[in-house]
Amino acid sequence: MKKTVLVSGGAGFIGSHVTVELTNAGYDVVIADNFSNCDMTNYKGVCQILGKELPLIKMDFCDAAATDKLFTDYKIDAVIHFAAFKAVGESVAEPIKYYKNNLDSFLNVLEAARTHGGCNVLFSSSATVYGETDVLPVTEQSPRQPATSPYGNTKQMCEDILRDTVKAFPQIKGIALRYFNPIGAHPSALIGELPNGVPNNLVPFITQTAIGKRECLSIFGNDYPTPDGTCQRDYIDIVDLAKAHVCAVTRMIDGKMDESYEIFNVGTGRPVSVLELVNAFEKVNGLKLNYKFTPRRPGDVTAIWADPTRANEVLGWKAERTVEETLAAAWAWEKAIAK
Ligand code: UD1
């Protein structure tokens, strides 16, 4: 029998790509989203890619009754929880808003999972939990550093909440995926990232500069102790990242977990500097980008990249696309939404 996966925040950037890959892998997907940070573009794109309408529930996971009702209306075998606020800077200015939203929504999911006889829960975590570290690449055993923002803290807290919950309730299993820097778009250019206002993240800023929406990209700092002086990150293709979710969900549903709470890094294992990324973008898309070097951005870590060995070996997942392919997809998406 087909298994059903609930994707909270399924109309967003990561959720929409995960929905496509789950459906292609044979799962029934139920999307739930409150549309607080997205519109219908990605949902419509998902339906177009798949050639069918998927169930879409407009609801807020901070509403405990609505969350519970979802679990009554559908027999949910696994839930992937993306629904969260994600702007680092805003979280510093609005900590209560961030803690309330990101914690309440996850607690409601877990509460509903518990009262409805248990569930497999995949939490969308972040490499931000590692903070600034000298030992690179980071493995899942690398120590977490104290979070530097309320956003980062909610990721750490939700990981801990999931760990404690599976310990107390054996009918709940949990996986946390720690994403490095997700970039790119679906090769169809029908779904992708839709930042609100001025993008904080590098790749949307690059594509918006290339299309003329922004005048100039600021590269934040070229005096870091790295080979070219700019920060290094592990940029992971969004479709590759989505496929890691399919592997993790299947591992849970098939009862293949070694422990009831597991953590995996989702990255390529390949450090890429800001300047290398900009150069690759120019080269693969045959254009010149207007950029300048500006002072460092407060809170940025010098370098971080994943050791993805555990995901490679245990999940049987590996990042496949090159950074060039990913940047070509990001550019195709920017051009598609400009039309
Ligand atoms: C950021 C968040 C991280 C979050 C992730 C989600 C911070 C400190 N970290 O990661 O918690 O999980 O986004 O995707 O905000 N850069 C520029 N110019 C720009 C934008 C970025 O030079 O206009 C540089 C940054 O200095 C950094 C790199 O590009 O070195 C990547 O930045 P970004 O895309 O914002 O991701 P992170 O900061 O790594």
Side-chain angles (χ1 to χ4, degrees):
M1 208 178 80
K2 271 186 133 185
K3 301 286 183 183
T4 301
V5 183
L6 168 65
V7 180
S8 88
F13 173 44
I14 304 179
S16 58
H17 288 81
V18 169
T19 296
V20 168
E21 296 309 318
L22 283 170
T23 309
N24 285 339
Y27 290 103
D28 281 333
V29 177
V30 176
I31 298 172
D33 206 300
N34 68 356
F35 292 89
S36 67
N37 194 32
C38 64
D39 59 19
M40 288 289 280
T41 308
N42 277 330
Y43 173 73
K44 286 183 186 154
V46 165
C47 297
Q48 207 175 325
I49 292 167
L50 297 172
K52 63 175 178 186
E53 292 276 310
L54 294 189
L56 169 68
I57 292 97
K58 291 190 189 180
M59 49 98 46
D60 192 328
F61 283 86
C62 290
D63 179 342
T67 307
D68 186 79
K69 186 172 181 306
L70 260 185
F71 282 75
T72 305
D73 293 347
Y74 295 92
K75 195 200 152 297
I76 294 164
D77 298 289
V79 48
I80 307 184
H81 186 64
F82 293 112
F85 293 153
K86 60 173 187 180
V88 178
E90 189 192 31
S91 80
V92 176
E94 300 270 8
I96 299 170
K97 175 178 161 184
Y98 269 67
Y99 285 117
K100 211 172 164 43
N101 184 66
N102 292 7
L103 299 181
D104 272 0
S105 59
F106 192 46
L107 289 167
N108 286 337
V109 165
L110 292 174
E111 180 69 14
R114 184 181 71 82
T115 52
H116 287 265
C119 198
N120 298 297
V121 180
L122 195 163
F123 176 65
S124 152
S125 191
S126 166
T128 195
V129 302
Y130 295 117
E132 178 95 54
T133 166
D134 296 334
V135 188
L136 289 164
V138 290
T139 72
E140 292 79 358
Q141 274 75 48
S142 302
R144 294 188 324 190
Q145 307 291 333
T148 52
S149 71
Y151 159 78
N153 206 15
T154 65
K155 291 294 176 196
Q156 295 200 357
M157 292 168 92
C158 287
E159 283 192 355
D160 294 346
I161 289 169
L162 184 55
R163 179 202 60 206
D164 295 346
T165 301
V166 305
K167 222 183 275 170
F169 305 112
Q171 69 272 36
I172 297 180
K173 306 271 182 261
I175 288 184
L177 295 183
R178 291 178 177 161
Y179 315 144
F180 283 69
N181 288 59
I183 62 165
H186 195 265
S188 64
L190 289 168
I191 55 175
E193 203 168 356
L194 285 165
N196 239 337
V198 183
N200 293 310
N201 295 117
L202 180 59
V203 170
F205 207 105
I206 289 177
T207 55
Q208 289 196 6
T209 306
I211 210 141
K213 256 183 162 172
R214 312 274 156 214
E215 219 166 272
C216 182
L217 167 75
S218 295
I219 295 184
F220 300 139
N222 61 346
D223 57 350
Y224 282 98
T226 58
D228 65 19
T230 65
C231 293
Q232 293 171 304
R233 296 286 184 275
D234 186 335
Y235 295 95
I236 170 80
D237 181 86
I238 187 67
V239 177
D240 280 339
L241 179 94
K243 288 179 178 166
H245 293 73
V246 177
C247 296
V249 159
T250 303
R251 180 174 171 81
M252 290 197 284
I253 288 181
D254 288 353
K256 294 277 169 57
M257 293 173 75
D258 297 322
E259 319 210 11
S260 43
Y261 172 60
E262 298 179 336
I263 300 171
F264 297 95
N265 283 342
V266 185
T268 66
R270 172 186 65 202
V272 175
S273 76
V274 178
L275 206 49
E276 284 171 334
L277 196 87
V278 168
N279 291 337
F281 181 84
E282 291 185 327
K283 195 162 171 226
V284 71
N285 296 315
L287 43 83
K288 279 275 156 227
L289 200 68
N290 194 17
Y291 68 84
K292 61 179 182 212
F293 294 107
T294 61
R296 294 179 179 193
R297 179 171 71 176
D300 273 346
V301 302
T302 303
I304 185 157
W305 66 92
D307 178 341
T309 308
R310 184 170 148 76
N312 299 163
E313 291 177 355
V314 179
L315 285 184
W317 167 89
K318 206 172 176 358
E320 282 167 359
R321 292 175 97 191
T322 64
V323 92
E324 286 78 14
E325 288 171 304
T326 305
L327 291 171
W331 179 229
W333 165 247
E334 185 67 56
K335 285 188 288 186
I337 52 173
K339 277 185 196 147

